[in-house]
Amino acid sequence: MTKLAGSKVLVAGAGVTGRSAAEALLAAGAEVVVTDTSPQRLAALETLLEGVDLVPGLTEPPAGTSLVVTSPGWQPSSPLLAAASSAGIEVIGDVELAWRMAAELADPPVWLAVTGTNGKTTTVGMLESILHAAGADAVACGNVGLPVVDALLAGRRVLAVELSSFQLHWAPSVKPQAGALLNLAEDHLDWHGGMDAYARAKAQVLTGEVAIGWLEDDLVADLLEASPARDQVGFTLGEPADGQLGVRDGWLVDRAFADDEPLVEVAKIRPAGPPGIADALAATALARAYGVPSEAVREGLEAFEPAAHRAVLVTVDSDDVRYVNDSKATNPHAAVASLRAYDSVVWIAGGLLKGASVDDMVRTEAHRLRGAVLIGADRAVLAEALARHAPDVPVRVVDAAGDDPMPAVVAAARELAQPGDTVLLAPAAASMDMFTDYAHRGRAFADAVVALTGDR
């Protein structure tokens, strides 16, 4: 960014996005300082970033700092960011940095953005697959793994951007050509300070030219209606009205960007079930907003392979008990969608609830529970909800012991299961209390299932 040449910029966080931002700022001619609470993460950057000042544990910006670029997980209340705001120093995230860098290009790329409590990664993967089928120079980036700054500097022409609520909070200027809001449910309330602030952050994705929203979520529908976007497009699992996408006679149908055009058979969409279909509708709407033809929508969705740890069948044992890994269900909203795919479930749940309420989830899904096995820091919260709303459901609580609690968890679940049941890992909670991330949790579950059943 030419406007930053010669200025002093502090990068808060030495992870993937911090490294990406620091490299881009150096290339723009800025004087860059990187700080992190972990000296080890800073040390890892020494051989990657020449000319950067690495300072551990800063609690206020160095003298002369004109801008702070923060990693998305840093809360506004953290001492460093609060001190920067108090001093009148602007704080932005790496996504905002990428947006400002793009604005200085003669021919900036197109941004197609996705957010929501659940389904973001699946939707952005579907969108990338559709765009590739159309021959677009596109890449999935953002919260999906590849920093947006890196995708921009690589010269990609279409950015399929997955955005978390954290990233959107720190990206006040971002107005994608088309943005989709998939759903909204309680999540990250401890970070945002409440549901209103969480929803406001998510609604930022609806401020571009085309706003796309899930009509069967009342809060999303209200935010879509209030959007300043030129075009507002809704999607639904039901029959679409004019200006919407939906489902008719087993086909995805477009009545927003085409005249009642069937696009792809629902039976060919993966992951199967309502959440996968809804994600496919959102991805289709984003692609159609970019002008992708119907043939590419069909080819892209049929070619798409879901990510690991999202409703993956691990095995069916000799007693016809199914074992399903949905470790990606990291909040109650996602867990409800997962539970509703099965009639009789032994539910493995627990972890870090991040302030989310679980009573509605347990009350509405209690009828399908054969039993529950609870783990993690907030297992007592789930146990209390089950006692209130499903007192007849047998519950086993497994305390974390040793490096891998999953063999004991899976064994307890198998004892509760009967032929035809599904042992479902859909934790409704984050994993970092016991595991590195949700993928680590999912692998541990799958490994324990294989060890117990002998199936591979």
Side-chain angles (χ1 to χ4, degrees), residues 15 32 37 76-77 79 116 152 157 196 243 271 273 275 282 346 349 381 393 430 432 443 448:
V32 182
T37 56
S77 60
L152 177 72
R157 301 305 307 142
D196 288 345
V346 177
V381 177
V393 172
M432 288 78 73
R443 289 192 299 271

Tab-separated table of all heavy atoms in Angstrom, residues 15 32 37 76-77 79 116 152 157 196 243 271 273 275 282 346 349 381 393 430 432 443 448:
chain	number	residue	atom	x	y	z
A	15	GLY	N	0.850	-15.334	14.109
A	15	GLY	CA	0.378	-16.542	13.441
A	15	GLY	C	0.362	-16.365	11.932
A	15	GLY	O	1.066	-15.513	11.369
A	32	VAL	N	7.760	-2.054	10.192
A	32	VAL	CA	6.855	-3.040	10.785
A	32	VAL	C	7.407	-3.571	12.098
A	32	VAL	O	8.569	-3.984	12.186
A	32	VAL	CB	6.605	-4.221	9.822
A	32	VAL	CG1	5.626	-5.223	10.446
A	32	VAL	CG2	6.052	-3.712	8.490
A	37	THR	N	1.970	-12.662	22.336
A	37	THR	CA	2.154	-13.112	23.717
A	37	THR	C	3.071	-14.324	23.797
A	37	THR	O	3.552	-14.660	24.878
A	37	THR	CB	0.803	-13.456	24.348
A	37	THR	OG1	0.143	-14.438	23.538
A	37	THR	CG2	-0.087	-12.218	24.448
A	76	PRO	N	-11.189	-6.758	21.180
A	76	PRO	CA	-11.009	-5.309	21.316
A	76	PRO	C	-10.604	-4.896	22.732
A	76	PRO	O	-9.945	-3.876	22.910
A	76	PRO	CB	-12.393	-4.751	20.961
A	76	PRO	CG	-13.019	-5.806	20.099
A	76	PRO	CD	-12.503	-7.113	20.623
A	77	SER	N	-10.987	-5.699	23.719
A	77	SER	CA	-10.673	-5.368	25.108
A	77	SER	C	-9.270	-5.773	25.537
A	77	SER	O	-8.855	-5.471	26.658
A	77	SER	CB	-11.684	-6.051	26.038
A	77	SER	OG	-11.631	-7.471	25.872
A	79	PRO	N	-5.430	-5.613	26.280
A	79	PRO	CA	-4.728	-4.385	26.687
A	79	PRO	C	-4.080	-3.633	25.541
A	79	PRO	O	-4.169	-2.395	25.467
A	79	PRO	CB	-3.696	-4.903	27.689
A	79	PRO	CG	-4.325	-6.138	28.266
A	79	PRO	CD	-5.078	-6.761	27.134
A	116	GLY	N	-21.578	-16.692	8.442
A	116	GLY	CA	-22.685	-17.374	9.105
A	116	GLY	C	-22.136	-18.122	10.301
A	116	GLY	O	-20.916	-18.313	10.435
A	152	LEU	N	-4.605	-12.132	-2.651
A	152	LEU	CA	-4.558	-10.890	-3.420
A	152	LEU	C	-3.197	-10.709	-4.077
A	152	LEU	O	-3.099	-10.418	-5.280
A	152	LEU	CB	-4.861	-9.719	-2.497
A	152	LEU	CG	-4.793	-8.324	-3.117
A	152	LEU	CD1	-5.971	-8.109	-4.039
A	152	LEU	CD2	-4.757	-7.255	-2.028
A	157	ARG	N	-8.009	-13.580	-9.527
A	157	ARG	CA	-8.986	-12.639	-10.060
A	157	ARG	C	-10.323	-12.674	-9.328
A	157	ARG	O	-11.082	-11.710	-9.353
A	157	ARG	CB	-9.227	-12.920	-11.547
A	157	ARG	CG	-7.981	-12.831	-12.400
A	157	ARG	CD	-7.281	-11.493	-12.246
A	157	ARG	NE	-8.202	-10.376	-12.471
A	157	ARG	CZ	-8.181	-9.249	-11.780
A	157	ARG	NH1	-7.328	-9.082	-10.779
A	157	ARG	NH2	-9.039	-8.292	-12.050
A	196	ASP	N	-26.346	-9.088	19.865
A	196	ASP	CA	-26.522	-7.936	18.977
A	196	ASP	C	-25.218	-7.569	18.281
A	196	ASP	O	-25.195	-7.310	17.068
A	196	ASP	CB	-27.063	-6.740	19.759
A	196	ASP	CG	-28.520	-6.905	20.163
A	196	ASP	OD1	-29.186	-7.807	19.609
A	196	ASP	OD2	-28.983	-6.148	21.031
A	243	GLY	N	-37.227	-13.809	-7.542
A	243	GLY	CA	-36.098	-13.170	-6.896
A	243	GLY	C	-35.381	-14.040	-5.883
A	243	GLY	O	-34.504	-13.549	-5.176
A	271	PRO	N	-22.327	-32.314	1.265
A	271	PRO	CA	-22.969	-33.330	2.100
A	271	PRO	C	-24.482	-33.336	1.917
A	271	PRO	O	-25.085	-32.294	1.654
A	271	PRO	CB	-22.586	-32.910	3.529
A	271	PRO	CG	-22.346	-31.442	3.424
A	271	PRO	CD	-21.756	-31.212	2.084
A	273	GLY	N	-28.519	-33.808	2.881
A	273	GLY	CA	-29.340	-33.294	3.962
A	273	GLY	C	-29.546	-31.793	3.871
A	273	GLY	O	-28.885	-31.093	3.087
A	275	PRO	N	-28.709	-29.049	5.683
A	275	PRO	CA	-27.606	-28.078	5.752
A	275	PRO	C	-26.777	-28.035	4.472
A	275	PRO	O	-26.400	-26.949	4.014
A	275	PRO	CB	-26.782	-28.571	6.938
A	275	PRO	CG	-27.753	-29.330	7.787
A	275	PRO	CD	-28.656	-30.007	6.811
A	282	ALA	N	-26.630	-21.177	-1.280
A	282	ALA	CA	-25.874	-19.946	-1.050
A	282	ALA	C	-24.700	-19.834	-2.023
A	282	ALA	O	-24.456	-18.759	-2.601
A	282	ALA	CB	-25.373	-19.904	0.389
A	346	VAL	N	-26.764	-41.916	19.948
A	346	VAL	CA	-25.950	-41.787	21.153
A	346	VAL	C	-25.023	-40.616	20.878
A	346	VAL	O	-24.157	-40.670	20.012
A	346	VAL	CB	-25.160	-43.068	21.458
A	346	VAL	CG1	-24.271	-42.836	22.679
A	346	VAL	CG2	-26.100	-44.228	21.701
A	349	ALA	N	-20.908	-35.186	23.198
A	349	ALA	CA	-20.964	-33.734	23.184
A	349	ALA	C	-20.110	-33.156	24.299
A	349	ALA	O	-19.798	-33.826	25.285
A	349	ALA	CB	-22.407	-33.255	23.335
A	381	VAL	N	-22.639	-28.222	32.148
A	381	VAL	CA	-23.738	-27.418	31.606
A	381	VAL	C	-24.664	-28.301	30.766
A	381	VAL	O	-25.899	-28.219	30.868
A	381	VAL	CB	-23.185	-26.255	30.763
A	381	VAL	CG1	-24.320	-25.445	30.141
A	381	VAL	CG2	-22.295	-25.355	31.615
A	393	VAL	N	-33.006	-39.927	29.567
A	393	VAL	CA	-31.880	-40.276	28.697
A	393	VAL	C	-30.669	-40.614	29.554
A	393	VAL	O	-30.229	-39.782	30.364
A	393	VAL	CB	-31.542	-39.118	27.746
A	393	VAL	CG1	-30.252	-39.403	26.976
A	393	VAL	CG2	-32.692	-38.873	26.780
A	430	ALA	N	-16.542	-25.841	21.154
A	430	ALA	CA	-15.177	-25.802	20.649
A	430	ALA	C	-14.322	-26.850	21.351
A	430	ALA	O	-14.697	-27.411	22.379
A	430	ALA	CB	-14.592	-24.405	20.847
A	432	MET	N	-10.747	-26.658	22.117
A	432	MET	CA	-9.394	-26.329	22.564
A	432	MET	C	-9.122	-26.646	24.027
A	432	MET	O	-7.985	-26.528	24.485
A	432	MET	CB	-9.103	-24.851	22.300
A	432	MET	CG	-8.914	-24.542	20.822
A	432	MET	SD	-10.480	-24.438	19.924
A	432	MET	CE	-11.121	-22.867	20.518
A	443	ARG	N	-10.149	-36.685	14.439
A	443	ARG	CA	-9.226	-37.792	14.182
A	443	ARG	C	-9.161	-38.730	15.376
A	443	ARG	O	-9.106	-39.959	15.211
A	443	ARG	CB	-7.832	-37.253	13.849
A	443	ARG	CG	-7.722	-36.581	12.502
A	443	ARG	CD	-6.267	-36.336	12.128
A	443	ARG	NE	-5.595	-35.458	13.071
A	443	ARG	CZ	-5.568	-34.128	12.975
A	443	ARG	NH1	-6.168	-33.526	11.971
A	443	ARG	NH2	-4.910	-33.405	13.865
A	448	ALA	N	-10.346	-43.963	17.605
A	448	ALA	CA	-10.912	-44.766	18.690
A	448	ALA	C	-11.984	-45.714	18.182
A	448	ALA	O	-12.103	-46.854	18.650
A	448	ALA	CB	-11.478	-43.843	19.767
